[in-house]
mmCIF file of all heavy atoms in Angstrom:
data_model
loop_
_atom_site.group_PDB
_atom_site.id
_atom_site.type_symbol
_atom_site.label_atom_id
_atom_site.label_comp_id
_atom_site.label_asym_id
_atom_site.label_seq_id
_atom_site.Cartn_x
_atom_site.Cartn_y
_atom_site.Cartn_z
ATOM 1 N N SER D 22 38.534 -83.094 -77.238
ATOM 2 C CA SER D 22 39.496 -83.669 -78.175
ATOM 3 C C SER D 22 40.912 -83.519 -77.628
ATOM 4 O O SER D 22 41.213 -82.596 -76.870
ATOM 5 C CB SER D 22 39.386 -82.993 -79.546
ATOM 6 O OG SER D 22 39.617 -81.606 -79.441
ATOM 7 N N LEU D 23 41.779 -84.440 -78.016
ATOM 8 C CA LEU D 23 43.182 -84.396 -77.608
ATOM 9 C C LEU D 23 43.947 -83.431 -78.511
ATOM 10 O O LEU D 23 43.789 -83.465 -79.735
ATOM 11 C CB LEU D 23 43.814 -85.786 -77.677
ATOM 12 C CG LEU D 23 43.224 -86.844 -76.739
ATOM 13 C CD1 LEU D 23 43.873 -88.201 -76.998
ATOM 14 C CD2 LEU D 23 43.406 -86.444 -75.278
ATOM 15 N N THR D 24 44.772 -82.592 -77.907
ATOM 16 C CA THR D 24 45.561 -81.619 -78.655
ATOM 17 C C THR D 24 46.858 -82.259 -79.135
ATOM 18 O O THR D 24 47.544 -82.947 -78.373
ATOM 19 C CB THR D 24 45.877 -80.400 -77.774
ATOM 20 O OG1 THR D 24 44.647 -79.791 -77.358
ATOM 21 C CG2 THR D 24 46.704 -79.370 -78.533
ATOM 22 N N TYR D 25 47.193 -82.011 -80.385
ATOM 23 C CA TYR D 25 48.404 -82.581 -80.971
ATOM 24 C C TYR D 25 49.609 -81.697 -80.641
ATOM 25 O O TYR D 25 49.605 -80.496 -80.914
ATOM 26 C CB TYR D 25 48.232 -82.695 -82.486
ATOM 27 C CG TYR D 25 49.472 -83.125 -83.244
ATOM 28 C CD1 TYR D 25 50.316 -84.123 -82.763
ATOM 29 C CD2 TYR D 25 49.790 -82.537 -84.472
ATOM 30 C CE1 TYR D 25 51.445 -84.521 -83.472
ATOM 31 C CE2 TYR D 25 50.909 -82.933 -85.194
ATOM 32 C CZ TYR D 25 51.731 -83.918 -84.683
ATOM 33 O OH TYR D 25 52.846 -84.297 -85.378
ATOM 34 N N HIS D 26 50.645 -82.314 -80.039
ATOM 35 C CA HIS D 26 51.904 -81.632 -79.761
ATOM 36 C C HIS D 26 52.985 -82.299 -80.612
ATOM 37 O O HIS D 26 53.399 -83.434 -80.340
ATOM 38 C CB HIS D 26 52.251 -81.728 -78.271
ATOM 39 C CG HIS D 26 51.376 -80.880 -77.401
ATOM 40 N ND1 HIS D 26 51.813 -79.724 -76.804
ATOM 41 C CD2 HIS D 26 50.070 -81.008 -77.047
ATOM 42 C CE1 HIS D 26 50.832 -79.186 -76.103
ATOM 43 N NE2 HIS D 26 49.758 -79.943 -76.245
ATOM 44 N N LYS D 27 53.431 -81.592 -81.637
ATOM 45 C CA LYS D 27 54.370 -82.179 -82.579
ATOM 46 C C LYS D 27 55.757 -82.369 -81.976
ATOM 47 O O LYS D 27 56.507 -83.265 -82.373
ATOM 48 C CB LYS D 27 54.460 -81.302 -83.834
ATOM 49 C CG LYS D 27 55.243 -81.951 -84.971
ATOM 50 C CD LYS D 27 55.174 -81.119 -86.233
ATOM 51 C CE LYS D 27 55.905 -81.799 -87.372
ATOM 52 N NZ LYS D 27 55.810 -81.029 -88.637
ATOM 53 N N SER D 28 56.127 -81.535 -81.000
ATOM 54 C CA SER D 28 57.480 -81.574 -80.442
ATOM 55 C C SER D 28 57.833 -82.952 -79.894
ATOM 56 O O SER D 28 58.982 -83.396 -80.010
ATOM 57 C CB SER D 28 57.628 -80.520 -79.340
ATOM 58 O OG SER D 28 56.679 -80.752 -78.312
ATOM 59 N N ASP D 29 56.858 -83.640 -79.296
ATOM 60 C CA ASP D 29 57.128 -84.983 -78.772
ATOM 61 C C ASP D 29 56.209 -86.042 -79.383
ATOM 62 O O ASP D 29 56.147 -87.167 -78.904
ATOM 63 C CB ASP D 29 57.024 -85.004 -77.249
ATOM 64 C CG ASP D 29 55.638 -84.638 -76.738
ATOM 65 O OD1 ASP D 29 54.749 -84.360 -77.567
ATOM 66 O OD2 ASP D 29 55.439 -84.628 -75.518
ATOM 67 N N GLY D 30 55.474 -85.670 -80.443
ATOM 68 C CA GLY D 30 54.607 -86.630 -81.128
ATOM 69 C C GLY D 30 53.495 -87.175 -80.261
ATOM 70 O O GLY D 30 53.132 -88.345 -80.378
ATOM 71 N N SER D 31 52.933 -86.320 -79.403
ATOM 72 C CA SER D 31 51.905 -86.795 -78.476
ATOM 73 C C SER D 31 50.565 -86.126 -78.733
ATOM 74 O O SER D 31 50.474 -85.046 -79.338
ATOM 75 C CB SER D 31 52.329 -86.523 -77.027
ATOM 76 O OG SER D 31 52.316 -85.137 -76.754
ATOM 77 N N LEU D 32 49.520 -86.802 -78.256
ATOM 78 C CA LEU D 32 48.182 -86.230 -78.165
ATOM 79 C C LEU D 32 47.882 -86.066 -76.678
ATOM 80 O O LEU D 32 47.987 -87.023 -75.915
ATOM 81 C CB LEU D 32 47.152 -87.158 -78.818
ATOM 82 C CG LEU D 32 47.302 -87.387 -80.321
ATOM 83 C CD1 LEU D 32 46.345 -88.486 -80.788
ATOM 84 C CD2 LEU D 32 47.045 -86.101 -81.100
ATOM 85 N N ARG D 33 47.507 -84.843 -76.272
ATOM 86 C CA ARG D 33 47.355 -84.565 -74.841
ATOM 87 C C ARG D 33 45.995 -83.958 -74.525
ATOM 88 O O ARG D 33 45.441 -83.187 -75.313
ATOM 89 C CB ARG D 33 48.423 -83.574 -74.354
ATOM 90 C CG ARG D 33 49.852 -83.982 -74.619
ATOM 91 C CD ARG D 33 50.780 -82.957 -73.994
ATOM 92 N NE ARG D 33 52.087 -82.923 -74.636
ATOM 93 C CZ ARG D 33 53.018 -82.019 -74.392
ATOM 94 N NH1 ARG D 33 52.774 -81.057 -73.517
ATOM 95 N NH2 ARG D 33 54.175 -82.057 -75.020
ATOM 96 N N CYS D 34 45.498 -84.294 -73.335
ATOM 97 C CA CYS D 34 44.309 -83.643 -72.796
ATOM 98 C C CYS D 34 44.768 -82.503 -71.898
ATOM 99 O O CYS D 34 45.520 -82.719 -70.942
ATOM 100 C CB CYS D 34 43.462 -84.631 -71.992
ATOM 101 S SG CYS D 34 42.038 -83.850 -71.176
ATOM 102 N N HIS D 35 44.307 -81.290 -72.191
ATOM 103 C CA HIS D 35 44.707 -80.129 -71.395
ATOM 104 C C HIS D 35 43.859 -79.972 -70.138
ATOM 105 O O HIS D 35 44.039 -79.009 -69.396
ATOM 106 C CB HIS D 35 44.635 -78.864 -72.246
ATOM 107 C CG HIS D 35 45.715 -78.800 -73.289
ATOM 108 N ND1 HIS D 35 45.755 -77.839 -74.278
ATOM 109 C CD2 HIS D 35 46.815 -79.585 -73.494
ATOM 110 C CE1 HIS D 35 46.818 -78.029 -75.042
ATOM 111 N NE2 HIS D 35 47.469 -79.084 -74.590
ATOM 112 N N TYR D 36 42.946 -80.927 -69.897
ATOM 113 C CA TYR D 36 42.147 -80.895 -68.667
ATOM 114 C C TYR D 36 42.693 -81.838 -67.603
ATOM 115 O O TYR D 36 42.828 -81.465 -66.440
ATOM 116 C CB TYR D 36 40.681 -81.244 -68.970
ATOM 117 C CG TYR D 36 39.920 -80.116 -69.605
ATOM 118 C CD1 TYR D 36 39.950 -79.919 -70.984
ATOM 119 C CD2 TYR D 36 39.180 -79.223 -68.838
ATOM 120 C CE1 TYR D 36 39.268 -78.868 -71.578
ATOM 121 C CE2 TYR D 36 38.482 -78.167 -69.425
ATOM 122 C CZ TYR D 36 38.540 -78.000 -70.795
ATOM 123 O OH TYR D 36 37.865 -76.956 -71.376
ATOM 124 N N CYS D 37 43.005 -83.074 -67.995
ATOM 125 C CA CYS D 37 43.429 -84.064 -66.992
ATOM 126 C C CYS D 37 44.867 -84.517 -67.168
ATOM 127 O O CYS D 37 45.400 -85.240 -66.323
ATOM 128 C CB CYS D 37 42.490 -85.270 -67.003
ATOM 129 S SG CYS D 37 42.670 -86.334 -68.464
ATOM 130 N N GLY D 38 45.526 -84.137 -68.280
ATOM 131 C CA GLY D 38 46.913 -84.527 -68.499
ATOM 132 C C GLY D 38 47.101 -85.856 -69.202
ATOM 133 O O GLY D 38 48.239 -86.293 -69.398
ATOM 134 N N TYR D 39 46.024 -86.535 -69.579
ATOM 135 C CA TYR D 39 46.127 -87.797 -70.322
ATOM 136 C C TYR D 39 46.960 -87.582 -71.583
ATOM 137 O O TYR D 39 46.833 -86.556 -72.265
ATOM 138 C CB TYR D 39 44.724 -88.282 -70.683
ATOM 139 C CG TYR D 39 44.679 -89.523 -71.552
ATOM 140 C CD1 TYR D 39 44.803 -90.791 -70.998
ATOM 141 C CD2 TYR D 39 44.481 -89.421 -72.926
ATOM 142 C CE1 TYR D 39 44.751 -91.929 -71.799
ATOM 143 C CE2 TYR D 39 44.422 -90.546 -73.735
ATOM 144 C CZ TYR D 39 44.562 -91.798 -73.157
ATOM 145 O OH TYR D 39 44.508 -92.910 -73.951
ATOM 146 N N ARG D 40 47.813 -88.547 -71.917
ATOM 147 C CA ARG D 40 48.720 -88.396 -73.050
ATOM 148 C C ARG D 40 48.956 -89.743 -73.724
ATOM 149 O O ARG D 40 49.153 -90.745 -73.042
ATOM 150 C CB ARG D 40 50.049 -87.818 -72.551
ATOM 151 C CG ARG D 40 51.109 -87.660 -73.607
ATOM 152 C CD ARG D 40 52.430 -87.199 -73.015
ATOM 153 N NE ARG D 40 52.311 -86.000 -72.201
ATOM 154 C CZ ARG D 40 53.311 -85.169 -71.947
ATOM 155 N NH1 ARG D 40 54.506 -85.428 -72.452
ATOM 156 N NH2 ARG D 40 53.133 -84.113 -71.196
ATOM 157 N N ILE D 41 48.940 -89.758 -75.051
ATOM 158 C CA ILE D 41 49.263 -90.963 -75.816
ATOM 159 C C ILE D 41 50.108 -90.558 -77.025
ATOM 160 O O ILE D 41 50.044 -89.407 -77.481
ATOM 161 C CB ILE D 41 48.003 -91.704 -76.318
ATOM 162 C CG1 ILE D 41 47.138 -90.792 -77.187
ATOM 163 C CG2 ILE D 41 47.220 -92.302 -75.167
ATOM 164 C CD1 ILE D 41 46.001 -91.504 -77.899
ATOM 165 N N PRO D 42 50.919 -91.475 -77.568
ATOM 166 C CA PRO D 42 51.626 -91.183 -78.825
ATOM 167 C C PRO D 42 50.617 -91.097 -79.970
ATOM 168 O O PRO D 42 49.550 -91.723 -79.927
ATOM 169 C CB PRO D 42 52.557 -92.380 -79.002
ATOM 170 C CG PRO D 42 52.538 -93.120 -77.712
ATOM 171 C CD PRO D 42 51.249 -92.802 -77.035
ATOM 172 N N VAL D 43 50.952 -90.335 -80.988
ATOM 173 C CA VAL D 43 50.071 -90.250 -82.158
ATOM 174 C C VAL D 43 50.072 -91.599 -82.878
ATOM 175 O O VAL D 43 51.135 -92.110 -83.232
ATOM 176 C CB VAL D 43 50.546 -89.149 -83.120
ATOM 177 C CG1 VAL D 43 49.642 -89.105 -84.358
ATOM 178 C CG2 VAL D 43 50.554 -87.801 -82.437
ATOM 179 N N PRO D 44 48.907 -92.221 -83.089
ATOM 180 C CA PRO D 44 48.871 -93.505 -83.804
ATOM 181 C C PRO D 44 49.393 -93.371 -85.228
ATOM 182 O O PRO D 44 49.213 -92.336 -85.883
ATOM 183 C CB PRO D 44 47.373 -93.867 -83.804
ATOM 184 C CG PRO D 44 46.776 -93.052 -82.698
ATOM 185 C CD PRO D 44 47.572 -91.793 -82.635
ATOM 186 N N ALA D 45 50.050 -94.422 -85.702
ATOM 187 C CA ALA D 45 50.590 -94.411 -87.068
ATOM 188 C C ALA D 45 49.470 -94.391 -88.103
ATOM 189 O O ALA D 45 49.589 -93.749 -89.153
ATOM 190 C CB ALA D 45 51.484 -95.622 -87.282
ATOM 191 N N VAL D 46 48.378 -95.119 -87.810
ATOM 192 C CA VAL D 46 47.200 -95.114 -88.688
ATOM 193 C C VAL D 46 45.965 -94.927 -87.822
ATOM 194 O O VAL D 46 46.006 -95.084 -86.608
ATOM 195 C CB VAL D 46 47.072 -96.428 -89.511
ATOM 196 C CG1 VAL D 46 48.220 -96.564 -90.481
ATOM 197 C CG2 VAL D 46 46.980 -97.638 -88.593
ATOM 198 N N CYS D 47 44.864 -94.615 -88.449
ATOM 199 C CA CYS D 47 43.614 -94.364 -87.731
ATOM 200 C C CYS D 47 43.180 -95.607 -86.953
ATOM 201 O O CYS D 47 43.025 -96.691 -87.531
ATOM 202 C CB CYS D 47 42.528 -93.964 -88.730
ATOM 203 S SG CYS D 47 40.883 -93.820 -87.990
ATOM 204 N N PRO D 48 42.948 -95.509 -85.643
ATOM 205 C CA PRO D 48 42.494 -96.663 -84.853
ATOM 206 C C PRO D 48 41.091 -97.125 -85.222
ATOM 207 O O PRO D 48 40.705 -98.242 -84.903
ATOM 208 C CB PRO D 48 42.521 -96.134 -83.416
ATOM 209 C CG PRO D 48 43.394 -94.932 -83.447
ATOM 210 C CD PRO D 48 43.209 -94.342 -84.805
ATOM 211 N N SER D 49 40.317 -96.245 -85.902
ATOM 212 C CA SER D 49 38.944 -96.598 -86.232
ATOM 213 C C SER D 49 38.852 -97.394 -87.526
ATOM 214 O O SER D 49 38.315 -98.503 -87.548
ATOM 215 C CB SER D 49 38.096 -95.331 -86.349
ATOM 216 O OG SER D 49 36.766 -95.639 -86.716
ATOM 217 N N CYS D 50 39.414 -96.864 -88.628
ATOM 218 C CA CYS D 50 39.294 -97.559 -89.912
ATOM 219 C C CYS D 50 40.536 -98.376 -90.255
ATOM 220 O O CYS D 50 40.487 -99.233 -91.137
ATOM 221 C CB CYS D 50 38.988 -96.561 -91.033
ATOM 222 S SG CYS D 50 40.345 -95.426 -91.411
ATOM 223 N N GLY D 51 41.644 -98.097 -89.589
ATOM 224 C CA GLY D 51 42.866 -98.871 -89.800
ATOM 225 C C GLY D 51 43.600 -98.576 -91.081
ATOM 226 O O GLY D 51 44.591 -99.231 -91.397
ATOM 227 N N THR D 52 43.139 -97.564 -91.834
ATOM 228 C CA THR D 52 43.796 -97.270 -93.117
ATOM 229 C C THR D 52 44.220 -95.810 -93.237
ATOM 230 O O THR D 52 45.264 -95.512 -93.803
ATOM 231 C CB THR D 52 42.859 -97.600 -94.291
ATOM 232 O OG1 THR D 52 41.637 -96.859 -94.148
ATOM 233 C CG2 THR D 52 42.537 -99.093 -94.316
ATOM 234 N N GLY D 53 43.407 -94.899 -92.758
ATOM 235 C CA GLY D 53 43.679 -93.481 -92.959
ATOM 236 C C GLY D 53 44.796 -92.960 -92.075
ATOM 237 O O GLY D 53 45.099 -93.513 -91.008
ATOM 238 N N SER D 54 45.450 -91.885 -92.520
ATOM 239 C CA SER D 54 46.460 -91.210 -91.706
ATOM 240 C C SER D 54 45.806 -90.055 -90.968
ATOM 241 O O SER D 54 44.802 -89.493 -91.414
ATOM 242 C CB SER D 54 47.600 -90.701 -92.592
ATOM 243 O OG SER D 54 47.095 -89.837 -93.594
ATOM 244 N N LEU D 55 46.376 -89.708 -89.817
ATOM 245 C CA LEU D 55 45.813 -88.650 -88.981
ATOM 246 C C LEU D 55 46.426 -87.309 -89.365
ATOM 247 O O LEU D 55 47.640 -87.149 -89.393
ATOM 248 C CB LEU D 55 46.071 -88.951 -87.507
ATOM 249 C CG LEU D 55 45.459 -90.264 -87.002
ATOM 250 C CD1 LEU D 55 45.739 -90.453 -85.517
ATOM 251 C CD2 LEU D 55 43.958 -90.309 -87.259
ATOM 252 N N LEU D 56 45.555 -86.343 -89.645
ATOM 253 C CA LEU D 56 45.989 -85.035 -90.123
ATOM 254 C C LEU D 56 45.679 -83.973 -89.078
ATOM 255 O O LEU D 56 44.566 -83.937 -88.525
ATOM 256 C CB LEU D 56 45.265 -84.690 -91.436
ATOM 257 C CG LEU D 56 45.347 -85.743 -92.538
ATOM 258 C CD1 LEU D 56 44.449 -85.350 -93.708
ATOM 259 C CD2 LEU D 56 46.787 -85.918 -93.000
ATOM 260 N N PRO D 57 46.620 -83.079 -88.777
ATOM 261 C CA PRO D 57 46.346 -82.007 -87.820
ATOM 262 C C PRO D 57 45.371 -80.994 -88.398
ATOM 263 O O PRO D 57 45.428 -80.658 -89.582
ATOM 264 C CB PRO D 57 47.727 -81.391 -87.574
ATOM 265 C CG PRO D 57 48.545 -81.776 -88.753
ATOM 266 C CD PRO D 57 48.008 -83.075 -89.263
ATOM 267 N N ARG D 58 44.451 -80.505 -87.553
ATOM 268 C CA ARG D 58 43.472 -79.503 -87.965
ATOM 269 C C ARG D 58 43.580 -78.288 -87.041
ATOM 270 O O ARG D 58 43.767 -78.429 -85.851
ATOM 271 C CB ARG D 58 42.046 -80.058 -87.886
ATOM 272 C CG ARG D 58 41.804 -81.325 -88.713
ATOM 273 C CD ARG D 58 42.022 -81.090 -90.189
ATOM 274 N NE ARG D 58 41.583 -82.219 -91.013
ATOM 275 C CZ ARG D 58 41.906 -82.369 -92.285
ATOM 276 N NH1 ARG D 58 42.681 -81.479 -92.889
ATOM 277 N NH2 ARG D 58 41.470 -83.411 -92.955
#
């Protein structure tokens, strides 16, 4: 799973360095908001 870094609003892989911005809404259902766990 991608780790959430709030400081820059990114989701990061701690194995390969892959990084994306946190999506505004869920890419799967298109309605839900993403919550940190």
Side-chain angles (χ1 to χ4, degrees):
S22 59
L23 297 175
T24 300
Y25 173 41
H26 288 253
K27 189 174 182 178
S28 59
D29 62 0
S31 69
L32 296 172
R33 304 184 204 172
C34 175
H35 289 172
Y36 283 86
C37 72
Y39 175 82
R40 178 185 307 203
I41 58 171
V43 178
V46 295
C47 173
S49 178
C50 68
T52 57
S54 57
L55 300 182
L56 308 173
R58 303 298 190 194

